[in-house]
Amino acid sequence: MIFNDFCCLKVLFKPPLYHSSFSTSVCIVSSYIAILSHSMQSISVILKNTEIHFTLKNYCMEIESQDVIRLIGQFLKENQLHNTLKALQLESQVALNAVSHPLTEDIQKGNWAVVLESITDLAIPPKHLSDLYEQIVLELIEMKQIQAARSLLRQTDPMDNLRNLYPERYLHLEGLLNRSDFDEKTAYQTGKGKQERREMIAKELEKHVTIVEPNRLVSLLGQALKWQVQEKLVDTEVGFDLFTGAAPSTRAEDDSPVSMMIKSIKFPKKQYPESGCFSPDGTYFATGTVDGFIEIWNYLTGKRRNDLKYQQEDNMMMIETACLCLQFSPDSEYLASGAQDGSIIVWSVKNGRSHVKFRTAHTQGITCLAFNSDGTQIVSSSFDQTVRIHGLNSGKTLKVFRGHTSFVNSVAYSLNDAFIVSGSSDGTVKIWNQNSSDCIHTLHLQNGELTARGVNLPTVHSVTRIPSKDIFLVSNHSRFLYLISLSGEVTIFLVTVSLFGILLQKRRANRLQMLPSQHQEISSMQYLVVVVTIRFLMIITFIVSAGILG
């Protein structure tokens, strides 16, 4: 690869002893390094015999191949791809031996469920592993959880190893299982108490286990891409394909209705989801349930993300009433939840703690949330017929927009945050000036027409801004879809469902005045009658022709 820039970086890629089939992993690693080097304005990259060389003016650094493999291994573990992780470790002979949270703290606090789950894929010396399991069995006996202690003692490899190497210690544990009382001095024969043994075990394991931040591979790639955006090496308007390192190529796609389910997430009957959304960077998928639980999922596997420590420990994000809506901040660092009681809480996705709380954001349930472009404000709509802006820095409600006469179901910011567009059950779409709080346009949408006023207008369900444009897609309880600009210009689509799929017939209307349609619309039933008639005539013609020839 050749990059036309003024500086470069030198990296010596030292491979351990690999099998021949490891070439695939080398390709993955080289792609990753190429992206990283591009972000650092490198001038040349040479891959030869699994050595990657870069040079940077007046600077030199070395990246070990084992570290890159561990980054990939952590990604596999966090996404619960355990079989792939085992294959990578077996072929490369590089063990991950890392956790994304302080294992020593969990040992010292006695969080044994978390500890046992964390050490599943770790390579720990048998002696230290036996010491750890021995301590867990002792504490289970102390808590009168005899059945669990017996299972751990008799059905695990570390305890079998203890029985073979230190039979007297194993028999001591067996004796404690049959006693009705627990005496700490009798149980801990070494003279060290429970907390001292915890600290000793934690200190020994700390020598063999590395503690790293979660999502290291994704974080490094994100940093590299941010640099490329700052240096204008990536055009954010057209998107970026991380794998190819270029803008995604366009291709013709079959514009057919969705027919295949990729993954499903099952919830208990009384804990069904009320809301869900993806993060802007595609890393997270969040759901909010009727009983107030908010969870982050891996949408590829359909399983809850346990690389987030608070979810691994079942310390879930939770609100007091049903979670009616969710929205991520533009940088995907925060998640806002809107509750049935009218409160809004902004959560930190990394630690699961509340960042800002708006206890009385609205007097009734929140229906929709949207962040502004820099993530400092959030706009909300509600059943209380209002739209409100809240400041994340001040923790206060900044502005209130009144004018709708029924529930406000959806709200969105304009591209530059200067305007707000809202849709309501009163059938109108309102465009607000964010600075003055004035309503500059009120659009009445009825039966595919834009009218001066309306009676019994269909409910507006959603208002969604088209990416990178000040055009809003509006859907209401009708057969029509509307594209609305900030000037009030509307493009109307008639949605017709037939045996041949979904048909969109387009016509255009300016504000408060319909332009004449350029074609005549026909219903799906009329279309079906025409097709059947034509085919019937074709069959009759064929029969008559066959009779004449006969």
Side-chain angles (χ1 to χ4, degrees):
M1 300 179 183
I2 302 297
F3 299 107
N4 298 320
D5 246 320
F6 66 93
C7 58
C8 52
L9 167 72
K10 182 177 183 181
V11 179
L12 301 178
F13 191 76
K14 297 182 178 179
L17 296 176
Y18 300 125
H19 299 110
S20 59
S21 59
F22 188 67
S23 58
T24 302
S25 298
V26 172
C27 291
I28 297 174
V29 171
S30 63
S31 298
Y32 164 68
I33 296 295
I35 294 172
L36 183 61
S37 64
H38 193 185
S39 71
M40 300 181 72
Q41 296 189 359
S42 40
I43 193 170
S44 64
V45 183
I46 303 173
L47 176 61
K48 182 178 182 182
N49 297 328
T50 65
E51 284 191 0
I52 301 178
H53 296 273
F54 305 81
T55 40
L56 179 66
K57 188 182 295 183
N58 300 324
Y59 185 72
C60 181
M61 66 176 291
E62 182 174 332
I63 297 178
E64 296 289 344
S65 59
Q66 292 92 335
D67 291 336
V68 181
I69 294 171
R70 290 189 184 100
L71 284 171
I72 300 172
Q74 184 197 34
F75 177 81
L76 296 174
K77 182 178 180 180
E78 290 175 344
N79 288 275
Q80 301 180 10
L81 301 172
H82 299 295
N83 292 334
T84 308
L85 174 61
K86 288 180 181 178
L88 177 62
Q89 292 184 140
L90 179 63
E91 189 172 2
S92 66
Q93 297 298 306
V94 177
L96 177 60
N97 258 34
V99 292
S100 301
H101 55 86
L103 184 62
T104 55
E105 291 184 11
D106 290 323
I107 294 175
Q108 291 171 0
K109 293 177 182 178
N111 298 330
W112 300 121
V114 177
V115 172
L116 288 175
E117 186 176 354
S118 301
I119 65 174
T120 302
D121 299 315
L122 302 182
I124 299 175
K127 178 184 180 302
H128 300 320
L129 202 56
S130 297
D131 292 342
L132 172 64
Y133 272 70
E134 181 184 22
Q135 181 64 25
I136 297 174
V137 170
L138 284 170
E139 296 195 23
L140 288 174
I141 295 173
E142 182 181 2
M143 293 185 291
K144 305 298 182 182
Q145 298 183 19
I146 304 301
Q147 187 61 39
R150 183 178 288 111
S151 299
L152 205 63
L153 179 63
R154 298 177 180 177
Q155 300 176 15
T156 57
D157 293 337
M159 289 291 93
D160 287 341
N161 184 63
L162 182 71
R163 179 174 54 187
N164 296 330
L165 297 179
Y166 307 99
E168 68 283 356
R169 289 166 58 183
Y170 184 88
L171 292 175
H172 175 66
L173 294 175
E174 284 281 6
L176 292 176
L177 285 174
N178 300 320
R179 297 188 57 170
S180 58
D181 60 331
F182 182 88
D183 180 63
E184 186 170 337
K185 292 183 179 180
T186 305
Y188 297 103
Q189 296 178 324
T190 58
K192 295 182 179 180
K194 177 170 65 176
Q195 194 59 39
E196 289 179 298
R197 281 180 57 85
R198 285 181 178 178
E199 292 175 357
M200 180 187 69
I201 293 171
K203 187 176 180 180
E204 290 297 328
L205 292 184
E206 193 175 15
K207 300 175 183 178
H208 304 280
V209 179
T210 304
I211 300 172
V212 295
E213 290 292 325
N215 297 315
R216 285 289 297 151
L217 180 59
V218 176
S219 298
L220 288 172
L221 291 174
Q223 292 170 10
L225 290 175
K226 285 181 180 178
W227 178 270
Q228 294 190 49
V229 171
Q230 291 175 359
E231 296 298 314
K232 301 186 184 305
L233 300 174
V234 175
D235 187 356
T236 57
E237 295 294 328
V238 298
F240 182 76
D241 188 328
L242 181 61
F243 184 72
T244 62
S249 58
T250 58
R251 61 179 182 179
E253 295 184 356
D254 183 16
D255 191 16
S256 60
V258 176
S259 59
M260 183 176 65
M261 179 180 67
I262 302 300
K263 191 65 63 176
S264 65
I265 301 175
K266 294 184 178 179
F267 292 82
K269 290 184 179 180
K270 296 183 179 180
Q271 298 176 351
Y272 57 85
E274 286 276 3
S275 56
C277 69
F278 284 96
S279 61
D281 62 3
T283 305
Y284 306 114
F285 174 66
T287 59
T289 60
V290 69
D291 56 350
F293 280 93
I294 301 170
E295 297 170 290
I296 309 295
W297 303 85
N298 183 333
Y299 62 89
L300 295 175
T301 62
K303 297 180 180 179
R304 201 170 67 184
R305 293 192 60 144
N306 286 329
D307 56 314
L308 300 172
K309 185 179 178 182
Y310 58 92
Q311 292 202 152
Q312 188 180 58
E313 298 175 349
D314 287 330
N315 296 325
M316 311 304 298
M317 296 181 284
M318 187 172 61
I319 57 180
E320 296 176 358
T321 57
C323 181
L324 301 184
C325 57
L326 292 169
Q327 184 61 51
F328 280 94
S329 61
D331 59 5
S332 302
E333 295 289 329
Y334 298 99
L335 175 65
S337 63
Q340 192 173 23
D341 61 4
S343 63
I344 297 174
I345 299 179
V346 180
W347 308 84
S348 171
V349 177
K350 288 186 177 180
N351 57 36
R353 298 175 183 172
S354 61
H355 177 63
V356 183
K357 294 182 180 180
F358 303 93
R359 291 294 187 187
T360 56
H362 287 269
T363 58
Q364 296 183 40
I366 312 294
T367 58
C368 185
L369 297 168
F371 281 88
N372 66 344
S373 57
D374 61 5
T376 59
Q377 294 180 357
I378 189 168
V379 63
S380 60
S381 60
S382 169
F383 291 131
D384 66 7
Q385 304 178 14
T386 66
V387 173
R388 307 189 184 198
I389 294 179
H390 317 274
L392 271 64
N393 295 329
S394 64
K396 298 180 180 180
T397 299
L398 306 178
K399 293 182 180 180
V400 180
F401 301 85
R402 304 181 188 275
H404 284 293
T405 58
S406 186
F407 306 149
V408 186
N409 299 316
S410 187
V411 68
Y413 270 108
S414 66
L415 190 61
N416 61 358
D417 303 326
F419 300 94
I420 292 172
V421 182
S422 60
S424 169
S425 291
D426 62 15
T428 64
V429 174
K430 289 183 178 290
I431 302 175
W432 310 84
N433 185 303
Q434 195 266 136
N435 294 323
S436 64
S437 302
D438 295 331
C439 178
I440 59 175
H441 295 295
T442 298
L443 308 177
H444 300 80
L445 307 175
Q446 188 173 32
N447 296 327
E449 296 184 356
L450 191 59
T451 60
R453 63 176 61 87
V455 180
N456 297 325
L457 297 175
T459 295
V460 177
H461 295 299
S462 68
V463 176
T464 306
R465 183 171 62 81
I466 304 299
S468 305
K469 295 182 180 180
D470 270 331
I471 303 294
F472 298 82
L473 176 64
V474 177
S475 65
N476 62 3
H477 197 69
S478 72
R479 295 186 301 156
F480 297 91
L481 288 175
Y482 304 85
L483 287 179
I484 296 176
S485 69
L486 293 177
S487 62
E489 185 179 1
V490 179
T491 303
I492 302 172
F493 294 88
L494 172 66
V495 182
T496 304
V497 181
S498 72
L499 296 178
F500 305 94
I502 298 177
L503 307 177
L504 291 181
Q505 295 174 307
K506 177 181 176 182
R507 58 184 181 179
R508 194 173 191 83
N510 59 19
R511 188 168 182 264
L512 300 182
Q513 183 178 1
M514 282 289 300
L515 291 180
S517 176
Q518 299 300 318
H519 57 271
Q520 184 177 3
E521 300 165 359
I522 61 174
S523 67
S524 58
M525 183 57 68
Q526 291 172 325
Y527 187 73
L528 180 61
V529 170
V530 171
V531 172
V532 171
T533 302
I534 292 174
R535 291 190 176 181
F536 178 75
L537 292 175
M538 290 175 62
I539 293 172
I540 295 298
T541 304
F542 174 77
I543 294 174
V544 172
S545 300
I548 294 173
L549 293 175

